[in-house]
Amino acid sequence: MRSSNACAGSLTRCDEGAGLPSFLATYQQRSVELARLRRAAIEEARDQLGGSYTEVAKAFGLTKGRITQIRNSAPPAHRAFFGVGPLDVAVVGRRILEREDMVIAAEDDAVGARLIAEAEQLAFTAERLVVDPREEWEPAGDSIVVCGPASAHIGNALMSEDPVLGMTIADGGRWYIVDKTTGERLASPMDDPEPRRADVAYLARHVRDGQVITHIAGVHALGSIGAAHYLTEHLAELYTAHPDDSFSMAVTAEFDGLTPKSSDVLVAPRPWA
């Protein structure tokens, strides 16, 4: 597993713009959310009025040009899958021997880059954090956390809230995703007697009062790339099906190096309510 250098410290912000005052970032994100809500209202009104934006403009007392401007400039409805923002994308750093500085696994670096790119496309102010595995850390706001239950406290804490799926270790150290209802275990093909370049991963969404946390955990680090790939490719349909739900699911992916060739659902999204 290759690694890249990370910044030092128990919790490090690694993206440019990390010094942006939090109140300013929060204000900007609330403005974006208002724009998203306006666009969503227009789309809903269009459906109710038979698909005509001209009728929507009349109903709202706006010009058709203004309706078009709102639709083109505002982010899509599924932005809300990740909350309102600002958005932190947290990966876990790794300690090497007695060195004080941390490194980031190449797989986690790739996941962080993909998720940051997706967040920025959705008009989030997004920053990547590197969590010290020795420290207890809790997300302060809307976040995406890439961390297994054995990697850091936050991975275990988030997964322990899930009534549906979890991860367990058995068979001399092999990790599985486990269905807490049926007891079914999902193993990584990387651990088979004849291993393949494929992995399985856990994906969950925690919807709390005023906060959304998305949690990704591969059985191996490679699986997190597959989960991020699936999430970004299917974000709109996941939000449409579960706009207000906490849920968890499991996916699998085949890889060429660190690039997913395909990703599929192993356990369909299950709401926790």
Side-chain angles (χ1 to χ4, degrees), residues 188-192 194-199 222 252-254:
S188 170
M190 295 177 68
D191 297 324
D192 290 344
E194 296 183 5
R196 293 186 292 114
R197 189 73 174 167
D199 200 9
L222 194 64
T252 183
E254 299 271 350

Side-chain angles (χ1 to χ4, degrees), residues 159 162 165-167 177 200-204 215-217 227 248-250 272:
M159 198 168 288
D162 186 341
L165 298 176
M167 295 180 78
I177 296 174
V200 298
Y202 168 93
L203 172 60
H215 183 202
I216 290 173
S248 53
M249 62 185 300
W272 295 351

Side-chain angles (χ1 to χ4, degrees), residues 29-113:
Q29 295 292 267
R30 296 302 183 272
S31 296
V32 172
E33 174 64 6
L34 287 174
R36 185 195 71 84
L37 290 171
R38 284 195 294 268
R39 177 177 172 178
I42 287 171
E43 301 296 344
E44 182 178 354
R46 178 206 60 188
D47 294 341
Q48 293 177 355
L49 295 172
S52 169
Y53 286 114
T54 299
E55 294 301 319
V56 172
K58 291 180 181 178
F60 280 41
L62 300 172
T63 67
K64 189 175 180 181
R66 177 56 178 153
I67 293 294
T68 300
Q69 182 185 41
I70 293 172
R71 290 176 52 236
N72 291 340
S73 61
H78 63 262
R79 178 186 190 272
F81 183 95
F82 295 123
V84 175
L87 186 66
D88 287 330
V89 177
V91 299
V92 177
R94 299 167 190 258
R95 295 282 176 177
I96 298 180
L97 300 177
E98 299 302 321
R99 289 172 53 181
E100 281 300 314
D101 58 324
M102 293 184 291
V103 298
I104 305 174
E107 295 90 340
D108 290 340
D109 193 44
V111 172

